Amino acid sequence: MIDRETLDKIPPGTHLPSVVNAIIEIPKGRRSKFEIDKATGLIRLDRYLYSSSHYPGDYGFIPQTLAEDGDPLDVLVMVNEPTFSGCLIETRVVGLFRMRDRGVNDYKVLGVPHRDPLFGEFEDLNDVPIHFLREVSHFFGTYKQLEGVVIETVGWSRAAEGIACVLDAVERYKKEKETRSPN
Ligand SMILES: [Mg+2]
């Protein structure tokens, strides 16, 4: 069970900001969009994607972060084998995908499992196959099309920008928490 209380005990990373904790909601290859319901800690089926496409990697969020869209910062993890909803993956940041959903910045951190030797040489965006970057860009550019939602894809940035985005989201979360419970 991953409820709000549990999430508050999981730090955003083990070697912040370049190695983050990714909490997976949707395993690679799935079309079903699962979400962790933070009130109950259960895995909730948000929707079956309207588009006939599937997630190109394990997908979830970094705990104790706050992105510009008001949600925890999203993360896409390249995996050799899909994990499962609720799995924690120590993830090394290798890039950042920038997009806007309904006019709001909705960035996706790209990472690899930190301890997977098959990803041992992945340190930055230029280590990632270019076609994978195209797949991800195409996926996010079209996955909401049949819902009538326009996603504006901006493009890929390197690891340094991904790391900066993580730091911003950690700071934003801390500030927001302070205003919620000042002491
Ligand atoms: Mg988001």
Side-chain angles (χ1 to χ4, degrees):
M1 297 285 238
I2 308 167
D3 56 9
R4 200 166 276 117
E5 207 182 310
T6 311
L7 283 172
D8 273 346
K9 290 181 196 141
I10 308 170
T14 40
H15 301 281
L16 262 190
S18 58
V19 183
V20 300
N21 282 326
I23 310 282
I24 301 309
E25 293 177 300
I26 309 159
K28 173 187 174 176
R30 296 301 299 264
R31 179 170 164 182
S32 297
K33 190 177 188 304
F34 299 111
E35 274 181 3
I36 289 172
D37 180 64
K38 287 153 188 101
T40 62
L42 294 171
I43 309 292
R44 199 173 71 86
L45 176 64
D46 176 58
R47 65 185 187 275
Y48 188 56
L49 290 185
Y50 284 33
S51 296
S52 176
S53 50
H54 60 258
Y55 278 79
D58 276 7
Y59 182 80
F61 63 91
I62 303 168
Q64 299 193 47
T65 60
L66 185 61
E68 288 175 69
D69 64 359
D71 289 328
L73 183 58
D74 298 321
V75 59
L76 183 75
V77 188
M78 298 180 78
V79 286
N80 288 304
E81 182 176 271
T83 64
F84 48 89
S85 305
C87 185
L88 188 156
I89 306 180
E90 249 190 293
T91 300
R92 186 164 65 251
V93 176
V94 297
L96 182 72
F97 183 66
R98 293 176 199 269
M99 56 181 247
R100 291 166 70 77
D101 184 336
R102 286 167 257 224
V104 179
N105 286 340
D106 188 11
Y107 296 167
K108 315 294 184 191
V109 170
L110 178 70
V112 296
H114 187 46
R115 296 176 192 283
D116 183 338
L118 287 170
F119 284 111
E121 283 83 39
F122 284 56
E123 298 282 351
D124 211 331
L125 201 66
N126 49 3
D127 301 315
V128 180
I130 289 168
H131 189 70
F132 181 81
L133 302 179
R134 286 197 201 108
E135 281 182 354
V136 172
S137 174
H138 179 260
F139 172 76
F140 284 117
T142 57
Y143 81 129
K144 288 187 179 174
Q145 230 168 43
L146 297 181
E147 295 171 54
V149 176
V150 178
I151 302 285
E152 186 195 329
T153 58
V154 181
W156 284 102
S157 302
R158 301 189 60 178
E161 272 125 303
I163 287 166
C165 182
V166 170
L167 280 178
D168 280 354
V170 168
E171 283 311 307
R172 202 178 287 112
Y173 178 87
K174 280 186 192 159
K175 263 191 209 135
E176 207 259 355
K177 204 176 169 188
E178 275 167 24
T179 45
R180 252 191 298 142
S181 53
N183 44 39

